Amino acid sequence: TQLLEQSPQFLSIQEGENLTVYCNSSSVFSSLQWYRQEPGEGPVLLVTVVTGGEVKKLKRLTFQFGDARKDSSLHITAAQPGDTGLYLCAGALPDSGYALNFGKGTSLLVTP
Amino acid sequence: GAGVSQTPSNKVTEKGKYVELRCDPISGHTALYWYRQSLGQGPEFLIYFQGTGAADDSGLPNDRFFAVRPEGSVSTLKIQRTERGDSAVYLCASSRFGANVLTFGAGSRLTVL
């Protein structure tokens, strides 16, 4: 059973465009993380959000944790080819914080 | 080391064979995790070690899978009587005790023919 649903599954945009990817669940998480994974590599942690309604910014990336701690979004402003990759959200349930539940990911392609 | 090291990077084996995958975590990281990532899927939790002991092995799919970490550092994931459905990338990650900041290795891609 997939606890976290990510959308869209695939996204192909041109350099300079903005985009938002979503991570939704019916479960409440104690924390939620976003990772980026490139082919042949392991996921690399981008951010951790822990408080409902929390917004974090990392350069052109803005992450938001839903008020109810069930969903999250990642917004990229002025996407660049270097943003290309698989974006994964992962949530930690309150009773097993170390066992992350990953979504299937959003595969992003940014073309020049 | 500087990062999490996994060997082999690629392993091709035949159905029914035994396989070992090794993970060398970041020095000083007491927590170690194994995940499995099938094609088109996100990583799936397998097992978590805190020190030498398996604190949670609830993600291991069946008794053909076993993992050890005898000295609290290097870990080995062992798969007996491999099946074609075991084909996936096996990811290892480590973190400091109590920190939910995981550093993943590049993974070991297992192909069972």
Side-chain angles (χ1 to χ4, degrees), chain B residues 6-88:
Chain B
Q6 292 189 245
T7 55
S9 55
N10 278 287
K11 175 71 177 179
V12 180
T13 191
E14 293 179 343
K15 180 171 177 278
K17 298 289 188 183
Y18 170 79
V19 165
E20 287 190 353
L21 306 175
R22 175 189 166 108
C23 173
D24 201 340
I26 292 173
S27 178
H29 280 192
T30 58
L32 185 146
Y33 315 76
W34 283 99
Y35 283 80
R36 178 170 71 175
Q37 188 171 23
S38 300
L39 193 62
Q41 304 292 322
E44 171 194 18
F45 170 77
L46 296 177
I47 187 170
Y48 158 64
F49 286 91
Q50 187 57 254
T52 59
D56 184 349
D57 65 357
S58 62
L60 294 177
N62 50 60
D63 61 6
R64 294 186 297 106
F65 289 75
F66 190 71
V68 296
R69 195 185 184 199
E71 296 178 359
S73 177
V74 171
S75 176
T76 304
L77 178 65
K78 308 180 180 196
I79 310 174
Q80 298 178 321
R81 304 183 303 281
T82 52
E83 299 177 356
R84 293 195 180 90
D86 298 335
S87 296

Side-chain angles (χ1 to χ4, degrees), chain A residues 2 31 33 35 37 40-43 45 88 97-100 102-104, chain B residues 33 35 37 40-43 45 48 55-56 91 100-102 104-106:
Chain A
Q2 198 83 38
S31 67
Q33 298 181 329
Y35 291 80
Q37 186 177 24
E41 300 293 328
L45 180 65
L88 294 157
Y98 45 79
L100 293 174
F102 281 84
K104 288 186 178 182
Chain B
Y33 315 76
Y35 283 80
Q37 188 171 23
Q41 304 292 322
F45 170 77
Y48 158 64
D56 184 349
L91 293 164
N100 202 14
V101 179
L102 274 61
F104 281 86

